[in-house]
Amino acid sequence: KQEVTQIPAALSVPEGENLVLNCSFTDSAIYNLQWFRQDPGKGLTSLLLIQSSQREQTSGRLNASLDKSSGRSTLYIAASQPGDSATYLCAVSAGNQFYFGTGTSLTVIP
Amino acid sequence: DTAVSQTPKYLVTQMGNDKSIKCEQNLGHDTMYWYKQDSKKFLKIMFSYNNKELIINETVPNRFSPKSPDKAHLNLHINSLELGDSAVYFCASSRRSGYYEQYFGPGTRLTVT
């Protein structure tokens, strides 16, 4: 059974810092991995989708990498801003199933 | 324009009642999903559904049933509500299942008293 873990559970950084969020999964037989952000009381916003055949995806200040063989993905956020404060979730797709990680709560301090 | 919408946003009801949550997507996607997010913010898939196939997570009680009047709608019916059903329920859609990006609705916060 697929298990998805995110470390750390919470992270607090000063504005302007670069940071890395981690996501690990136990079964490498995945179709893709998707990173989301969730603001308090809101739904999930898709940030990046990496197909299993890809190594990384970039969108603006965000860069996500995928190492399927080791069961790991990272989300790199450059030059963090207070508006980046949210919970970040990763999810892996395998067949018709989607498995979410436990999330990393990020606070960027002005 | 909202891509995936849910109604109601909040739902407060008593134990034993039957309730429904509606979901609509205007993205032309073939596959829709229901997720439950518990008090610890953990998201778990309940159902995935396209025109031909319903995949049910085996841990979902049969009091929960998805109903799809057409491709753009997937409603969630819950019978005999229990206290443990209190959670935020999210609807999502994707072009097809598996390989495609998922888009989420804003969620419905269900409180059972």
Side-chain angles (χ1 to χ4, degrees), chain A residues 32 92-100, chain B residues 33 35 45 97-98 100 102:
Chain A
N32 60 48
V92 297
S93 165
N96 288 313
Q97 290 293 330
F98 293 89
Y99 302 90
F100 274 82
Chain B
Y33 312 85
Y35 287 85
I45 190 167
S97 64
Y100 296 91
Q102 289 190 70

Side-chain angles (χ1 to χ4, degrees), chain B residues 84-98:
Chain B
D85 297 333
S86 296
V88 181
Y89 292 84
F90 288 98
C91 176
S93 73
S94 64
R95 188 182 301 178
R96 292 185 191 88
S97 64

Side-chain angles (χ1 to χ4, degrees), chain A residues 80-100:
Chain A
S80 59
Q81 302 171 356
D84 295 330
S85 297
T87 296
Y88 290 79
L89 296 154
C90 66
V92 297
S93 165
N96 288 313
Q97 290 293 330
F98 293 89
Y99 302 90
F100 274 82

